[in-house]
Amino acid sequence: MVSEIYTHKNTSPKPCANNGLLAGRRVVIQPNMSACGWLSDAGSPALEGFVALEDATVVARMRDAGAELVGSSRMSELGFGLAGDTANRILSGGEADIALVTDTMGEARVAAAGSAVFGFKPSFGMVSRSGLVGLVPSMECYGILGKKMEDIIDTLSVIAGKDKDDPSMPDETFPDFAAARKPLKMPCTAGVLKECVDLLQDRERKAFRTGLARLEEAGLTIREVNFSEFDLFRVVHHIVASVEASSSAGKYDGVRYGHRSSSGKNWNEMYLNSRGESFGSGIKTFLFQGAYFQFESYPAFENACRNRRRLVRTSADLLGSVDLLVFPTRRLEHDAWRAATINHIYDAFLLTLPANVTGQPSLHVPSLALHAGTDIGVQLVGLRLDDPRLLSIGMKLSSTAQGGASHEV
Amino acid sequence: MKYEAVIGLEIHVQLNSATKLFCDCPNRPGDEPNRNTCPICLWLPGALPHLSQEALEKAALACLALNCTIQPESAFDQKVYYYPDLPKGFQLSQHHKPLAKNGWVDIVREDGRIKRLRIHHIHMEEDVAKLVHEMEGKTPISLVDFSRAGTPLIEIVSEADMRSPHEAMEYVKTLRSQLRYTGSAECSLEQGTLRVDANISLRPRGSDEFNTKVEVKNMNSIRNVGDAIAYEIVRQTHCLEKGEPIVLHTRLWDPEKRITSPMRSKFSGPCVPDPSVPRIVVGKDWLIEIQGRLPEMPGKKSERFLREYGLTPEEAANMSFERDLSEFFEAVVRQGLPPRKVAGWMTTHLVPALRDHNQTVRDTLLTPVRFARLLSMLEKDIINAHAGKEVLLQLLSSEESPEEIVEKGHLRQVSDTTELEALIDRIIAEHPSDVEDFRKGNAKVMGFLMGLAMKASQGKANPKLLKEILTKRLN
């Protein structure tokens, strides 16, 4: 069943297991997450009519844990940005308790900010990507949206962990999520990036300061820290993500599935026409930019990779001096749902994309930093693969956050 | 000739691992089209590659057999190009960080001296799908067979050390022999499991510059490799003599017309690191374990055969060139037979007989033990060489023992002097004019009479005795 806000609506969502960790909870996914028999077109005509042959690891694990899969939302083409994404409407409308939204540059966290719920991007490598119709393999992951911290923690503990079908996951042992369920007891220092605060407008800064004050009320110590290369995150993300996207989207050629153009005298024309007719202008621009760096400016790509390694190191070093970093989640004047050009999309995700560049976990806590009813969000970033600690800080803020909730639809 | 050829070879070898490189599909490209496919090798959305450990081990073994150093860290890149044989828009290949570097093989030059040819590096990559072009009525159509897509290859990139077609052919032969020894690959040019691309350029003799090269593809035998290179050297020489510039391009060898002609080259894009296949980090223990699997290589084995068995250099080379044959040889020698006799019989009789019967030492009924019993009957003069060849042929298709075959076929050698004397007397009596000739000094008649006598004995006479008697009688 198809509707304005669903790509696929499940007519029999009742799970076979009734006693799992997610029993009784309704989950909405996206059509870039394979669910056997469901349309999995990742929001793109390039995958027109593609029906998943098997469940993604994450989907199978949620089914086994008793989740009711209500359907898949509409999403932006190939999960890049939030244009046309309906996950937050499904949550706000009370039709689901939990939503999974892929997070390539902050989509899950920004979507959470738009529906007054918690939004979490796990560490890169924490959750299997098998069955995810991806675009930027080194940055994307399943993001989790939930009304309560418990929704986030329960979902993560179900979907996280080693999977033989995703050999790119790290060898390290996976953390125990029991620690995440208890609010962090020990003293906790949050670092605020000076370079980040400097680029905010006055009213954004004011809202963010309100949010920081709420963190202090909850017992966190706020400290200003410096990250002189903060502005590199955007350009590094842009170059690396566009190059990876250009490569990954190469498989959408209309040969085995998806839209195939009816015109074309030979296969070169078939490719050109099929791909030309399939992709929307936004994603097409992004793929072109990636192809430009690949084919015409490879040293820029290599440079971006080097810079990325340095940003990862600096970010990890900073987290040696403070327990977590705090950013706003989004900006007032950059609406991610309306962003139409690549530049506007990058403006809208400027504050969330650093965690995708570094692979660190990041949690959006709702309703702490409001400006005239709009939540710009408080976003916490922790050390890679130390997700439980970040979540237990989230638990600590949870009561504060829910006390001040102001729902926005 | 005032020019010298500079030749480098890029050789693709299909590994014979049970599965494809990144999924569990059978590595059998020849099966019915599109049978051996899965979401991973079809690159359906959401599928992730996982590197086959067996393919990695076989690749590493091949690298060690060619004296390369396995790199502590290697990684896969995406080689981007768009073509229907490539289901995902890029080929996974090791461009920036190959599996192994700095190898070599020794070959014998035209003048008999040993020359060491260097290998620049060896990397792993996946093979692409196979395109089949057909007509549907009057419309040309192209079909894609993904059974081959994702099967494991290694690419062996030589330094440009070769100077003649002979050196290139010897390089391919030696490399093929060493790779087959490891059991990692079949290496058949005819079946396409070993594919040779040659880069050829010319320069004034004595110069050490590298000029624009031309790539030649599509040689499906070692002889074709030599012929295509020889043709290309002549073609380029004519170009230079006419003052035409050499342009970088790819040419196709036509085995029918025996010429090369230019082909439209595939567009080849950049290589970006692949984020989904984990880097290969080689541990010390793993490497020791793979090194332990490396058999004695043909060069070493040949030296040992020379030393231990007293074979001539040529016999030693023949007996060590193929691993199966060398093991067969040693198994026969262990039965107590003289090594040179074994080597001689294997080269002159066994190998041609196997070839004629489309058998190999691996699959034939003729085990080393049965072959040894045959040779031992020869040694003991129970049968003669003529009968030996007859028994050998029967052993290829019969499970009877050599002794049974000899008895049943009445092939036992006749060494009874009385019987042989009677036979000779009859021949002499029947050919008085020939005997006359001989006595007048025509020595050739001796051979003729021997042949008649042997034939009369149905090939069973003991030739030594026969000759003694004949000589005595004639004089």
Side-chain angles (χ1 to χ4, degrees):
Chain A
M1 207 177 109
V2 180
S3 79
E4 192 192 335
I5 53 171
Y6 288 98
T7 309
H8 179 93
K9 187 118 196 264
N10 195 0
T11 46
S12 53
K14 286 280 174 237
C16 28
N18 290 317
N19 49 1
L21 198 51
L22 295 177
R25 272 183 275 189
R26 298 161 302 159
V27 181
V28 63
I29 61 170
Q30 288 184 309
N32 60 347
M33 302 166 187
S34 308
C36 187
W38 295 17
L39 178 67
S40 300
D41 66 358
S44 176
L47 286 99
E48 194 175 69
F50 181 74
V51 173
L53 297 172
E54 51 197 355
D55 279 348
T57 301
V58 160
V59 171
R61 286 181 180 176
M62 287 197 306
R63 281 194 213 269
D64 290 345
E68 290 180 24
L69 296 182
V70 297
S72 55
S73 63
R74 298 207 163 270
M75 65 180 290
S76 65
E77 187 165 15
L78 301 175
F80 180 66
L82 278 172
D85 197 285
T86 55
N88 68 322
R89 285 169 63 188
I90 293 167
L91 274 187
S92 302
E95 294 177 43
D97 307 302
I98 295 162
L100 293 189
V101 171
T102 49
D103 194 308
T104 304
M105 57 197 313
E107 290 85 347
R109 289 159 282 160
V110 172
S115 43
V117 296
F118 290 90
F120 182 63
K121 180 200 98 70
S123 293
F124 184 80
M126 181 69 82
V127 178
S128 165
R129 290 185 298 120
S130 178
L132 177 69
V133 183
L135 185 68
V136 183
S138 79
M139 294 188 183
E140 67 207 357
C141 57
Y142 288 89
I144 308 164
L145 280 69
K147 288 177 184 161
K148 294 181 297 197
M149 271 308 294
E150 287 82 355
D151 292 330
I152 306 267
I153 295 168
D154 289 344
T155 306
L156 183 65
S157 53
V158 165
I159 66 175
K162 275 212 171 303
D163 174 20
K164 65 169 178 44
D165 292 329
D166 182 358
S168 70
M169 296 176 82
D171 289 331
E172 289 105 292
T173 38
F174 277 77
D176 174 12
F177 291 101
R181 295 177 198 282
K182 296 183 209 91
L184 190 74
K185 289 268 168 48
M186 60 183 89
C188 187
T189 308
V192 177
L193 264 54
K194 181 179 181 302
E195 291 75 9
C196 170
V197 176
D198 284 351
L199 61 84
L200 300 177
Q201 292 177 337
D202 283 348
R203 51 198 184 121
E204 291 167 333
R205 197 174 299 132
K206 211 174 139 219
F208 185 51
R209 292 241 158 89
T210 320
L212 293 178
R214 305 286 294 277
L215 296 190
E216 287 184 304
E217 280 168 33
L220 273 69
T221 309
I222 305 293
R223 176 145 46 104
E224 190 178 82
V225 292
N226 289 93
F227 199 138
S228 59
E229 294 187 311
F230 182 72
D231 57 352
L232 270 182
F233 276 110
R234 175 181 176 147
V235 66
V236 164
H237 188 289
H238 192 157
I239 295 175
V240 174
S242 64
V243 168
E244 286 187 21
S246 167
S247 262
S248 337
K251 62 177 169 283
Y252 306 129
D253 53 14
V255 172
R256 293 147 301 145
Y257 53 84
H259 171 75
R260 190 194 289 200
S261 173
S262 51
S263 65
K265 286 196 279 294
N266 52 45
W267 64 45
N268 282 323
E269 286 185 16
M270 180 193 81
Y271 277 146
L272 289 170
N273 296 344
S274 301
R275 289 170 67 83
E277 292 163 16
S278 289
F279 297 123
S281 65
I283 201 74
K284 210 181 272 178
T285 310
F286 194 55
L287 299 183
F288 267 126
Q289 291 176 347
Y292 169 78
F293 291 118
Q294 267 188 338
F295 291 87
E296 302 290 335
S297 187
Y298 194 75
F301 170 71
E302 290 181 303
N303 205 15
C305 291
R306 266 194 300 278
N307 282 324
R308 183 182 188 183
R309 285 194 286 275
R310 204 171 58 247
L311 291 173
V312 168
R313 269 199 309 275
T314 311
S315 193
D317 289 350
L318 268 182
L319 284 164
S321 63
V322 292
D323 295 294
L324 69 156
L325 299 173
V326 189
F327 303 84
T329 305
R330 60 174 179 167
R331 307 194 56 197
L332 285 173
E333 285 178 6
H334 302 284
D335 184 339
W337 282 269
R338 292 203 178 84
T341 67
I342 301 298
N343 267 340
H344 286 152
I345 292 172
Y346 270 95
D347 287 340
F349 294 97
L350 181 66
L351 303 174
T352 44
L353 60 83
N356 298 88
V357 171
T358 60
Q360 290 166 316
S362 171
L363 175 71
H364 161 81
V365 183
S367 314
L368 295 180
L370 304 172
H371 171 85
T374 304
D375 189 2
I376 70 162
V378 164
Q379 185 199 172
L380 318 178
V381 173
L383 271 179
R384 181 156 174 243
L385 301 177
D386 198 8
D387 303 37
R389 187 176 159 86
L390 192 70
L391 291 169
S392 75
I393 297 170
M395 283 298 285
K396 187 171 177 152
L397 299 174
S398 173
S399 51
T400 317
Q402 277 159 1
S406 152
H407 285 259
E408 174 206 9
V409 178
Chain B
M1 191 170 79
K2 58 183 181 177
Y3 296 110
E4 172 182 63
V6 178
I7 303 158
L9 300 184
E10 288 169 15
I11 298 182
H12 285 91
V13 172
Q14 198 177 80
L15 299 175
N16 60 6
S17 59
T19 66
K20 292 187 180 183
L21 187 53
F22 295 113
C23 63
D24 295 330
C25 285
N27 175 19
R28 290 197 306 263
D31 281 4
E32 70 180 275
N34 293 313
R35 177 177 166 173
N36 301 324
T37 55
C38 74
I40 295 176
C41 57
L42 288 173
W43 292 88
L44 295 184
L48 292 171
H50 57 259
L51 181 65
S52 152
Q53 282 306 305
E54 191 205 356
L56 173 62
E57 288 169 9
K58 291 208 154 170
L61 199 56
C63 294
L64 292 173
L66 300 176
N67 306 299
C68 289
T69 310
I70 306 283
Q71 300 300 292
E73 190 184 307
S74 57
F76 280 89
D77 298 290
Q78 305 176 341
K79 189 172 172 189
V80 178
Y81 69 88
Y82 296 102
Y83 210 67
D85 63 7
L86 196 55
K88 59 184 180 303
F90 58 79
Q91 181 187 22
L92 283 169
S93 174
Q94 298 182 310
H95 179 77
H96 296 294
K97 292 182 167 182
L99 180 63
K101 290 182 183 168
N102 303 328
W104 50 264
V105 294
D106 285 338
I107 59 144
V108 182
R109 294 199 316 200
E110 285 100 322
D111 61 9
R113 285 161 63 191
I114 301 288
K115 177 171 177 177
R116 179 155 293 185
L117 298 173
R118 294 169 300 158
I119 292 167
H120 182 268
H121 76 264
I122 300 179
H123 64 256
M124 300 175 76
E125 63 184 30
E126 55 173 345
D127 207 345
V128 298
K130 192 174 149 199
L131 293 177
V132 181
H133 305 286
E134 286 181 357
M135 294 300 284
E136 204 171 69
K138 286 179 180 169
T139 318
I141 55 163
S142 299
L143 303 169
V144 192
D145 173 10
F146 288 105
S147 281
R148 195 178 72 181
T151 56
L153 300 175
I154 51 171
E155 182 174 344
I156 304 157
V157 181
S158 79
E159 296 282 2
D161 284 349
M162 286 153 266
R163 297 290 172 266
S164 69
H166 169 88
E167 290 184 9
M169 292 195 300
E170 286 303 305
Y171 172 74
V172 178
K173 273 188 217 164
T174 311
L175 179 140
R176 183 178 65 175
S177 160
Q178 293 185 194
L179 289 179
R180 282 179 174 166
Y181 252 73
T182 65
S184 294
E186 313 306 328
C187 296
S188 159
L189 275 94
E190 290 76 11
Q191 283 163 21
T193 55
L194 185 151
R195 307 196 277 268
V196 180
D197 299 339
N199 289 304
I200 303 146
S201 66
L202 295 187
R203 66 185 176 196
R205 200 167 280 284
S207 143
D208 55 6
E209 64 194 295
F210 287 105
N211 289 326
T212 308
K213 65 187 180 186
V214 171
E215 185 184 33
V216 183
K217 288 175 181 286
N218 198 40
M219 291 83 81
N220 61 358
S221 71
I222 289 191
R223 193 182 137 223
N224 278 337
V225 170
D227 289 354
I229 293 173
Y231 177 88
E232 193 53 27
I233 292 172
V234 172
R235 192 191 67 83
Q236 289 189 27
T237 306
H238 288 325
C239 283
L240 291 175
E241 281 167 355
K242 278 187 282 181
E244 289 171 11
I246 305 286
V247 206
L248 180 76
H249 71 298
T250 302
R251 299 178 75 84
L252 218 53
W253 169 248
D254 184 334
E256 300 296 315
K257 296 185 191 152
R258 313 207 70 72
I259 57 166
T260 67
S261 46
M263 66 178 274
R264 208 179 58 172
S265 57
K266 268 188 210 172
F267 167 76
S268 180
C271 288
V272 296
D274 181 86
S276 291
V277 184
R279 285 173 310 157
I280 299 166
V281 179
V282 169
K284 205 176 157 192
D285 292 345
W286 185 83
L287 194 56
I288 290 171
E289 141 69 9
I290 302 294
Q291 277 163 339
R293 289 187 211 171
L294 198 65
E296 183 185 30
M297 285 285 113
K300 282 262 169 357
K301 190 171 273 187
S302 178
E303 284 168 23
R304 183 167 63 80
F305 284 1
L306 223 77
R307 207 173 52 236
E308 282 184 14
Y309 301 133
L311 301 188
T312 65
E314 198 192 338
E315 286 166 345
N318 281 339
M319 286 302 102
S320 59
F321 191 67
E322 280 180 34
R323 184 173 171 182
D324 286 344
L325 209 61
S326 74
E327 285 167 1
F328 189 96
F329 165 74
E330 289 208 88
V332 179
V333 171
R334 273 198 298 275
Q335 300 292 316
L337 276 304
R340 290 205 57 197
K341 174 128 191 163
V342 177
W345 262 77
M346 281 179 66
T347 308
T348 332
H349 304 301
L350 177 65
V351 171
L354 286 173
R355 197 171 47 228
D356 291 345
H357 289 75
N358 230 346
Q359 295 182 1
T360 66
V361 284
R362 192 178 274 266
D363 59 28
T364 180
L365 287 172
L366 183 49
T367 60
V369 172
R370 300 175 86 214
F371 187 61
R373 280 161 70 178
L374 164 64
L375 293 188
S376 131
M377 282 194 282
L378 280 159
E379 277 293 288
K380 292 177 189 152
D381 273 342
I382 296 170
I383 52 171
N384 62 22
H386 181 86
K389 281 182 261 181
E390 172 65 29
V391 176
L392 175 71
L393 291 181
Q394 291 195 37
L395 284 170
L396 294 179
S397 50
S398 155
E399 292 192 32
E400 285 175 313
S401 72
E403 292 80 2
E404 280 165 348
I405 292 171
V406 167
E407 291 314 319
K408 277 194 184 168
H410 307 290
L411 297 168
R412 204 174 255 278
Q413 178 163 265
V414 178
S415 300
D416 180 331
T417 322
T418 330
E419 200 176 321
L420 292 179
E421 277 171 353
L423 197 133
I424 294 286
D425 289 342
R426 203 177 74 228
I427 296 289
I428 287 177
E430 285 169 4
H431 297 84
S433 59
D434 295 302
V435 174
E436 188 85 350
D437 266 7
F438 178 80
R439 288 186 175 142
K440 282 179 185 159
N442 186 355
K444 278 185 192 164
V445 175
M446 181 72 163
F448 170 72
L449 293 174
M450 265 296 280
L452 288 175
M454 188 54 100
K455 199 173 166 191
S457 79
Q458 288 164 313
K460 289 182 283 188
N462 178 332
K464 216 171 118 202
L465 269 178
L466 198 66
K467 191 166 183 186
E468 271 176 26
I469 296 165
L470 183 62
T471 313
K472 208 158 58 185
R473 285 286 198 269
L474 286 174
N475 297 322

